[in-house]
Amino acid sequence: MQERQSIHGSWASRWTFILAATGSSVGLGNIWKFPYITGENGGGAFVLVYLACIAAVGIPIFMAEVVVGRRGRQSPIHSMRDVALEAGRDPRWSWLGWMGALAGFMIFAFYSVVSGWVLAYVFHTLNGTFNGAGSEAVGAVFDGMLGDPTTLTLWHTIFVAMVMVVLSRGISKGLEQAIRIMMPSLFVLVLLLLMYALTTGSFGRGVEFLFAADFSKLSWNSVLVALGHAFFTLSLGMGAMMVYGSYMPKNASIAGTAMIVAGLDTLVALAAGMAIFPLVFANQLDPGAGPGLMFVTLPVAFGGMPGGQVFGFLFFLMVSIAAWSSAVSLMEPAVAWMVERFPVSRNQACLVLGAGGWVLGLGALASFNIGADWLLFGMNFFDFLDFVTANLLLPLGGLLTALFVGWWLPARISRDEMSRDNAAGYSLWLLLVRFIAPVAVLVVFVANLYSKFAA
Ligand code: PHE
């Protein structure tokens, strides 16, 4: 069959795909979530489980998504449909694409709220708000911000607009150009902050916390959190890697690329941990502080250290860049679909979908103030969006993608897409995607439900 062409354009080279995919995967997940869930789940043992999930489940599913995307060369909804048809299967596999687009929307809603906090903190650190401030003072700034829907809406709106500007410019002029500036800056900032953490004198304690494994602190729930986070941090299970793969040149190796992206993502997560925990320990603060770790604990640490204002500013600048390059990939599957499906321009699609994501985000930010007692299954709307996506929709989407590519897609197609990869690597991947990844996801799901309801 003749190779399909994407109507949206394509990445200039394999390296642009790598940078864009790394931009998608490195985000709030690495810098905000990973350190705090590691802190909450006891450190080293959790990190080990998380690394195993990345290697045995994350990388194979990453590759499966790219196989479908590059074969279909369209939005995940249409790629799933056409690749299923090409394989002689039911076109209703496109529902997997729909589920992904929905998950993307839901993540976007709470993601842009937290990214708004990050933008606010760029200004706070620039102004020196936290200089010399203790936990109570910083906590008051954070709580004051959360309690004020107007301020939250302002920052949320700015962030959504930033994302939509990049998306509306398209693949080469928007995403690719933005990535070329953002990713090198991000890496430089991560290195600078690591060096700063080295000067605190508590670097060793931070490293020990991340790498000394104490399995007594590990529960089934921690394993579920680790698995869900592997999906979240690699942007899997909702079509982001599928849509980025649809712009990838045909002659690039999928396995090599997947391993580079997963490696970079893991490095940044560990580097973020190694930059954050030493500051926390050096200031006798609590590593298990939860979601407030980055917004309360860390500013206290910066506020009490020489050079803290400058490095605090650089830190939040880095986080904003990381969040920005991730958020564009949350919406790209839906934007690509709309442009393919309706006679609308990219600008119009971005306007409509951006407005939708913005409104859903208003619901998420209300969870911290006027909507604090709008509960769904005992969770506020913000926590609900986070839980349903990271712990249910993404693993489920990943599971179905693995099953589709492993069992429904004929080897002739996956083999053709992986023709740049060697035969042994292909067989290992097939084994992982057919058996290991689906079984792992199922076991964790069932064990977790069991421990929740049988206990
Ligand atoms: N991977 C991103 C992060 O770690 C979040 C994300 C999830 C982005 C899913 C796109 C799709 O912050």
Side-chain angles (χ1 to χ4, degrees):
M1 191 188 109
Q2 208 195 352
E3 200 200 329
R4 296 184 182 91
Q5 298 281 330
S6 167
I7 61 163
H8 308 283
S10 61
W11 306 120
S13 72
R14 167 169 179 252
W15 272 99
T16 334
F17 169 81
I18 293 180
L19 282 187
T22 308
S24 163
S25 61
V26 171
L28 294 175
N30 304 60
I31 310 168
W32 168 61
K33 254 187 153 180
F34 173 75
Y36 93 71
I37 57 180
T38 301
E40 282 180 341
N41 289 281
F46 176 80
V47 174
L48 263 183
V49 176
Y50 158 77
L51 292 177
C53 292
I54 295 280
V57 182
I59 295 178
I61 292 182
F62 185 110
M63 292 166 60
E65 285 203 19
V66 175
V67 164
V68 176
R70 198 170 67 175
R71 191 75 181 183
R73 294 260 183 240
Q74 297 158 82
S75 64
I77 295 172
H78 290 144
S79 287
M80 281 304 301
R81 181 195 64 196
D82 287 2
V83 174
L85 282 173
E86 186 189 346
R89 305 296 184 184
D90 195 320
R92 275 175 297 180
W93 274 101
S94 62
W95 280 100
L96 187 51
W98 281 105
M99 192 175 95
L102 175 72
F105 249 89
M106 293 171 72
I107 298 176
F108 185 82
F110 76 86
Y111 207 85
S112 58
V113 172
V114 180
S115 306
W117 306 347
V118 176
L119 293 182
Y121 271 52
V122 171
F123 278 85
H124 280 310
T125 45
L126 202 60
N127 288 334
T129 313
F130 303 128
N131 292 351
S135 295
E136 270 176 31
V138 180
V141 173
F142 187 53
D143 293 338
M145 178 176 80
L146 294 191
D148 174 7
T150 320
T151 312
L152 290 183
T153 304
L154 176 74
W155 291 112
H156 165 65
T157 309
I158 295 177
F159 185 78
V160 173
M162 282 162 56
V163 172
M164 289 306 151
V165 165
V166 172
L167 274 176
S168 65
R169 296 170 57 92
I171 301 308
S172 328
K173 285 212 201 96
L175 275 67
E176 194 163 313
Q177 261 189 22
I179 287 299
R180 277 182 202 278
I181 305 168
M182 288 197 232
M183 297 319 284
S185 334
L186 182 75
F187 289 124
V188 171
L189 288 172
V190 171
L191 284 179
L192 268 177
L193 287 155
L194 261 184
M195 290 195 286
Y196 183 64
L198 272 170
T199 67
T200 57
S202 297
F203 197 71
R205 278 194 63 199
V207 172
E208 193 189 320
F209 181 74
L210 272 177
F211 295 108
D214 173 0
F215 282 92
S216 67
K217 295 218 181 83
L218 212 65
S219 62
W220 271 111
N221 187 53
S222 313
V223 180
L224 177 73
V225 172
L227 182 79
H229 188 65
F231 281 101
F232 186 84
T233 189
L234 289 181
S235 310
L236 298 179
M238 50 68 65
M241 288 307 166
M242 208 180 271
V243 81
Y244 276 17
S246 75
Y247 310 135
M248 181 180 179
K250 174 81 180 170
N251 60 7
S253 139
I254 294 184
T257 310
M259 281 187 285
I260 296 177
V261 175
L264 287 173
D265 182 74
T266 307
L267 273 183
V268 175
L270 295 176
M274 285 191 273
I276 290 177
F277 288 120
L279 305 190
V280 171
F281 289 122
N283 292 278
Q284 286 91 39
L285 297 162
D286 172 18
L293 186 65
M294 188 169 98
F295 294 103
V296 180
T297 315
L298 202 60
V300 174
F302 280 124
M305 295 168 65
Q309 185 178 348
V310 175
F311 282 93
F313 166 70
L314 293 177
F315 179 87
F316 286 104
L317 189 64
M318 164 189 80
V319 186
S320 344
I321 296 175
W324 191 6
S325 60
S326 296
V328 291
S329 70
L330 285 165
M331 279 294 194
E332 176 61 19
V335 170
W337 167 78
M338 200 163 202
V339 172
E340 289 160 9
R341 177 72 182 74
F342 299 103
V344 295
S345 66
R346 213 172 223 278
N347 279 332
Q348 291 163 329
C350 287
L351 208 62
V352 172
L353 294 166
W358 179 77
V359 170
L360 204 60
L362 292 184
L365 68 81
S367 302
F368 300 97
N369 37 72
I370 51 175
D373 43 37
W374 307 339
L375 299 186
L376 282 161
F377 302 99
M379 289 173 268
N380 68 34
F381 190 52
F382 181 96
D383 292 338
F384 173 81
L385 290 172
D386 182 9
F387 176 83
V388 170
T389 53
N391 294 353
L392 298 176
L393 290 180
L394 299 188
L396 192 64
L399 172 69
L400 291 171
T401 310
L403 292 176
F404 176 74
V405 172
W407 295 96
W408 270 265
L409 198 68
R412 114 187 113 75
I413 295 182
S414 54
R415 186 74 205 118
D416 180 39
E417 286 304 320
M418 300 253 293
S419 55
R420 291 279 156 153
D421 302 283
N422 66 36
Y426 176 77
S427 310
L428 174 65
W429 169 72
L430 207 57
L431 180 82
L432 289 167
V433 107
R434 285 190 144 178
F435 300 101
I436 311 290
V439 170
V441 176
L442 273 177
V443 167
V444 175
F445 256 144
V446 174
N448 191 60
L449 287 180
Y450 181 80
S451 68
K452 271 219 175 77
F453 295 110

